[in-house]
Amino acid sequence: MLKSRPVIRLMIGFQLFFGLLLWTPIFFEYQRQLGISVADILAIQSIYYVAFCLLEIPTGMIADRIGYRRCMLAGGVVLVVSNVMPVSVPSYWGFLVHFLLIALARSLVSGASSAYLYEYMTANGEREQYKQAEGSARSYSLVGKVVGWPLVGLAMQLEMTLPYWLTAVSAVLAVVMAYRLPPLPDSVRKPTAPVITSVRESLGLLRRTPMLLLFMAQGVAVFTLGRICQVNLFQPILTADSVPLVAHGMVMSAMSVFEALGSARPGIIRRYLTDSRAVFVLTIVMAGTLALTVPGHWVATVAALCVFALAMGLSFPIQRQLINDAIPPTPYRATLLSIESIIDRGVCALVALALGSYLAEGELAEFLLLSAGASVVLMAILLAVLPLVRRRVAAGGKDADQVLSAP
């Protein structure tokens, strides 16, 4: 039995309740009913994404300094307050503050939660099981959304503000879970240097750890394909295949089920492939299934999207393990994870800009094929570079333990 099992259960509960934003399917319509214009709604979303990127590194540094558990606790409290804002201040400014607080809450938790679980399990000699623990937490979070989202419309009919109140209650439960987490062992160091020195040391560590840079580049493809498909391409793909709008929610729920199944069982892949090769193969599967969604028969498109979601669910916890394993012992783990998040989102923003021009020209199929081809080329390059980098690091005597233990 894992010594970390009680902590894993608390982390699963935290991820489930923290990520259960029940208002997600209805927030656009909710704001419209309050008289907020579409232009203002989209402006708020733009500000939200910018704020998310700007907050990532500062919150990562805060997490390293005050402790990952405290940062998760703070993120949960901020999330509670954020979900009360649309009810107490139902206006443009209320929603702007609401989304800015959500950006702060998610930034506080994004690196801290992974860093806490990895450090705790490593201290207990259970580092190899981290991938399964991370995958289980993500899986339960997705299942919660699958169960909760179909009921949101009914909740809104009963009481317009109910989805926000229920999300606030869920955030309170996340705070309880974070509070019950035990402190990390004293062996986990915290930064003591000034902030500027910490930033310089974090960037220097990133520069001196080529394996970490390589796995970050590998993760960019996974994150970008997943984000672009689920957020930006989802409705255009289904619309191009004449899938009725009423069925879009059902397709999204189906994709979430397959993603949850993959996240719950990432260890299955290790029977056949090492972790680094598994991410390469799964990324190519994601790219290939994305290409298969080129406008055609809707049944084939939905099937391809479900396989895409399954591959993404399998790849995420494996990628998390690779990134954390590639970070050498350092008090800057959350900061480095935040840097990775900014790189992912920055590439995503650039791809989204390109997508806009392709959609404006009616060239969705071309964009899908180009994205798939670019992902396969990137994976081929990284696959060729990986053994060269490992040999170079080993020959130079740097990060030797990391090289020898890398999958």
Side-chain angles (χ1 to χ4, degrees), residues 241-405:
D241 282 334
S242 302
V243 177
L245 184 61
V246 69
H248 288 198
M250 290 183 279
V251 175
M252 180 168 282
S253 292
M255 288 180 65
S256 297
V257 169
F258 277 91
E259 187 180 351
L261 289 172
S263 294
R265 292 290 180 269
I268 292 175
I269 298 294
R270 200 156 208 188
R271 298 176 187 174
Y272 313 100
L273 297 167
T274 61
D275 284 352
S276 56
R277 290 185 179 178
V279 175
F280 284 119
V281 172
L282 290 169
T283 304
I284 291 172
V285 171
M286 290 171 65
T289 50
L290 186 63
L292 291 176
T293 63
V294 168
H297 196 281
W298 69 268
V299 174
T301 294
V302 172
L305 287 173
C306 288
V307 175
F308 179 95
L310 178 65
M312 183 170 62
L314 287 165
S315 63
F316 180 83
I318 299 174
Q319 180 65 22
R320 289 284 86 192
Q321 176 96 46
L322 286 170
I323 290 291
N324 273 292
D325 283 350
I327 299 174
T330 175
Y332 305 117
R333 183 173 297 275
T335 302
L336 290 167
L337 290 173
S338 294
I339 291 172
E340 183 216 5
S341 180
I342 288 177
I343 294 171
D344 289 342
R345 293 175 192 281
V347 173
C348 223
L350 293 175
V351 174
L353 284 174
L355 171 61
S357 61
Y358 275 89
L359 290 180
E361 297 294 328
E363 297 176 344
L364 174 61
E366 288 80 356
F367 181 84
L368 292 172
L369 293 172
L370 180 62
S371 299
S375 299
V376 171
V377 170
L378 175 62
M379 288 300 102
I381 293 172
L382 292 177
L383 190 60
V385 170
L386 180 60
L388 299 177
V389 172
R390 279 186 175 155
R391 284 199 295 269
R392 174 190 158 197
V393 172
K398 297 178 181 178
D399 304 321
D401 292 338
Q402 162 195 327
V403 174
L404 293 173
S405 64

Side-chain angles (χ1 to χ4, degrees), residues 23-179:
W23 45 261
T24 302
I26 55 89
F27 80 93
F28 193 91
E29 181 60 28
Y30 183 90
Q31 292 180 72
R32 286 185 61 188
Q33 289 189 23
L34 291 174
I36 301 174
S37 69
V38 173
D40 283 342
I41 294 172
L42 294 175
I44 291 172
Q45 292 298 297
S46 298
I47 295 170
Y48 164 74
Y49 284 117
V50 172
F52 205 130
C53 287
L54 292 176
L55 289 168
E56 274 290 346
I57 288 184
T59 52
M61 294 177 63
I62 289 171
D64 285 327
R65 288 177 177 273
I66 71 172
Y68 307 136
R69 174 178 166 271
R70 289 178 180 172
C71 211
M72 292 165 62
L73 191 60
V77 171
V78 172
L79 188 63
V80 174
V81 176
S82 73
N83 285 294
V84 176
M85 288 301 300
V87 179
S88 57
V89 188
S91 64
Y92 170 86
W93 294 107
F95 272 97
L96 178 59
V97 174
H98 162 70
F99 275 102
L100 288 175
L101 289 176
I102 287 175
L104 175 58
R106 294 184 65 184
S107 296
L108 285 166
V109 168
S110 64
S113 60
S114 290
Y116 174 89
L117 184 59
Y118 185 85
E119 292 285 10
Y120 190 91
M121 296 187 72
T122 299
N124 279 294
E126 297 169 340
R127 189 184 72 176
E128 289 301 312
Q129 283 73 43
Y130 164 79
K131 172 173 68 260
Q132 180 60 55
E134 185 78 60
S136 296
R138 182 174 175 81
S139 176
Y140 276 96
S141 177
L142 290 165
V143 169
K145 293 172 183 177
V146 171
V147 173
W149 281 348
L151 303 176
V152 172
L154 177 60
M156 192 174 178
Q157 287 182 345
L158 293 174
E159 166 55 46
M160 186 175 175
T161 61
L162 190 55
Y164 286 94
W165 285 119
L166 291 175
T167 305
V169 171
S170 177
V172 170
L173 293 175
V175 171
V176 173
M177 298 295 172
Y179 180 78

Side-chain angles (χ1 to χ4, degrees), residues 1-9 124 126 129:
M1 179 177 176
L2 290 175
K3 291 181 287 185
S4 303
R5 188 174 298 279
V7 166
I8 293 172
R9 287 173 178 165
N124 279 294
E126 297 169 340
Q129 283 73 43

